[in-house]
Amino acid sequence: MLISTKGRYALRVMADLAEHPAEGYIPLKEIAQRQEISEKYLEAIIKILVKARLLSGVRGKGGGYKLTRAPEEYTVGAILRLTEDSLAPVSCLTAEAPPCARAAACRTLPVWRRLDQIINEYLDSVTIADLLREIGPGDGL
């Protein structure tokens, strides 16, 4: 499993918006500047987040984007599942994988299933609010 820039940037956008709740709708340009992400690339990411109703957007003067819920209500896992093709550690565990003829005799499959479970449980236990906490050297989430 390798998290793409799309997934990493989506998390950064969500954290950025969570850090500035009092500002109301935040223009795309401001988010892009603060996060040092191309506006064009950010548009594609925000479109995914708006379609999933994680963000709301308003066009025109005073427009921009904001979270639709509290930062504690968004999990890293949910956001990454929107932006990544798969979080599975091996291809045979992806949703679109055809049934494997060797699954019943595969000695390694239990390892990959457990790893997949651990990855998803962990990512679902971390919220956007957790990302806002200051983390010192050696600290973990």
Side-chain angles (χ1 to χ4, degrees):
M1 173 186 75
L2 183 66
I3 303 298
S4 69
T5 55
K6 188 188 314 182
R8 295 191 326 266
Y9 289 178
L11 291 175
R12 286 172 48 190
V13 166
M14 297 295 285
D16 185 279
L17 291 171
E19 284 182 306
H20 302 91
E23 296 175 29
Y25 287 96
I26 300 175
L28 180 73
K29 185 174 186 169
E30 283 183 32
I31 301 165
Q33 287 174 342
R34 280 195 297 256
Q35 294 302 314
E36 299 177 347
I37 301 171
S38 147
E39 277 186 65
K40 186 172 177 90
Y41 192 49
L42 194 55
E43 284 175 2
I45 294 167
I46 284 189
K47 183 177 180 180
I48 294 166
L49 299 172
V50 168
K51 185 177 179 182
R53 298 190 176 141
L54 301 184
L55 301 179
S56 63
V58 172
R59 293 178 186 231
K61 186 174 177 160
Y65 299 92
K66 70 177 184 176
L67 301 179
T68 57
R69 302 186 300 256
E72 297 80 17
E73 297 180 45
Y74 297 96
T75 68
V76 169
I79 295 162
L80 290 178
R81 280 189 282 281
L82 279 174
T83 57
E84 300 300 313
D85 291 332
S86 174
L87 296 178
V90 291
S91 62
C92 64
L93 294 179
T94 62
E96 63 278 348
C100 177
R102 294 192 34 84
C106 182
R107 299 227 182 249
T108 62
L109 186 56
V111 171
W112 305 130
R113 283 187 175 146
R114 179 69 178 127
L115 180 58
D116 187 52
Q117 179 185 4
I118 290 168
I119 289 168
N120 281 285
E121 286 173 358
Y122 174 70
L123 293 175
D124 288 337
S125 75
V126 180
T127 68
I128 294 300
D130 294 327
L131 298 180
L132 300 183
R133 291 185 305 137
E134 188 171 334
I135 299 174
D139 290 347
L141 290 175

